[in-house]
Amino acid sequence: MGDAVGQMLVSAVGIAISPVPVIAMVLMLASPRGRADGIAFTASWMVSLAVLVTVVVTLGVGADASGAEGPATWTSWLKLALGVSFLLLAARQWRGRHRDAEGDGMPRWIRAVDSFTPARAAGLAVVLAVANPKNLVLAVGGAVAIASSDATAGGRAVAGLLMVLIASLCALAPLTVYLSGGDRSTRVLAGWKAWMAVHNAAIMATLLVVLGGKYVGDAVSALAS
């Protein structure tokens, strides 16, 4: 199980520190329907990730042509493609770091988040968790890493659960701070929002380079063996 957890950890952290869901959560929690919107967003985010991770891990293990328990060969090719994608995303993040530092890195639609209903908040969570290209690549990459690990079926299940929990901290942490109440929670959330908007590009670029190099190296080693 330790191998599976170690394989997916950086991917999960990469999703967790994404700035858009954190900022969306802060804005929703500041609205009149903050509690309902925040809970709906968080629940939808976690369910969406759980479904995606479960499907990818199941396919990665169950599609093995030999019929034995273990990863399918195509997971190595997918890892290679994901590794290249991570490196390309890292370059894109690095080029956009100055824009984020100036506070212009957030999409325009996020300004309307504070008027969302719980249903729209849940729908937004699905889009950001599994339809956003960066998070989708990270989530699939983490799930493929779990599937291609040497862990048992139970170990992979635990690793998948941990991946969903860690990757959901971008929603769980703001919601927990908000539910704790008090003026301090408002200041803390505002500080997170500002910090994530300014520094996220450089952090994500570093994480993506590490992931890209690791995935390409693992894939080449597996395919060459």
Side-chain angles (χ1 to χ4, degrees), residues 40-56 121-131 136 139 164 168:
F41 182 94
T42 303
S44 180
W45 176 282
M46 296 182 71
V47 170
S48 300
L49 276 179
V51 170
L52 177 62
V53 170
T54 300
V55 169
V56 174
L124 175 64
V126 175
V127 172
L128 293 180
V130 299
L136 177 62
V164 171
S168 299

Side-chain angles (χ1 to χ4, degrees), residues 24-195:
M25 275 291 290
V26 171
L27 294 175
M28 279 188 288
L29 293 173
S31 71
R33 291 182 295 271
R35 181 184 294 266
D37 285 356
I39 292 174
F41 182 94
T42 303
S44 180
W45 176 282
M46 296 182 71
V47 170
S48 300
L49 276 179
V51 170
L52 177 62
V53 170
T54 300
V55 169
V56 174
V57 171
T58 301
L59 289 175
V61 174
D64 187 9
S66 67
E69 185 176 0
T73 303
W74 61 264
T75 60
S76 296
W77 288 104
L78 182 55
K79 268 191 170 184
L80 181 61
L82 290 171
V84 174
S85 298
F86 286 141
L87 294 175
L88 293 175
L89 285 170
R92 181 180 178 184
Q93 288 281 329
W94 186 253
R95 286 198 302 268
R97 71 191 186 282
H98 297 304
R99 180 188 62 188
D100 286 352
E102 294 169 359
D104 299 323
M106 292 298 105
R108 294 179 180 178
W109 56 261
I110 207 167
R111 300 170 187 170
V113 166
D114 58 357
S115 64
F116 276 14
T117 62
R120 292 187 68 185
L124 175 64
V126 175
V127 172
L128 293 180
V130 299
N132 176 277
K134 182 185 71 178
N135 285 347
L136 177 62
V137 172
L138 286 168
V140 172
V144 168
I146 294 172
S148 60
S149 71
D150 296 328
T152 63
R156 287 192 292 268
V158 173
L161 176 61
L162 288 174
M163 178 179 172
V164 171
L165 290 175
I166 294 171
S168 299
L169 287 176
C170 56
L172 285 170
L175 181 62
T176 300
V177 171
Y178 172 80
L179 294 177
S180 68
D183 294 335
R184 183 174 180 274
S185 65
T186 302
R187 294 194 300 271
V188 170
L189 291 174
W192 288 1
K193 172 187 170 184
W195 189 88

Side-chain angles (χ1 to χ4, degrees), residues 202-220:
I203 296 173
M204 285 302 305
T206 302
L207 277 172
L208 289 168
V209 167
V210 172
L211 271 173
K214 182 181 187 304
Y215 274 50
V216 170
D218 288 350
V220 170

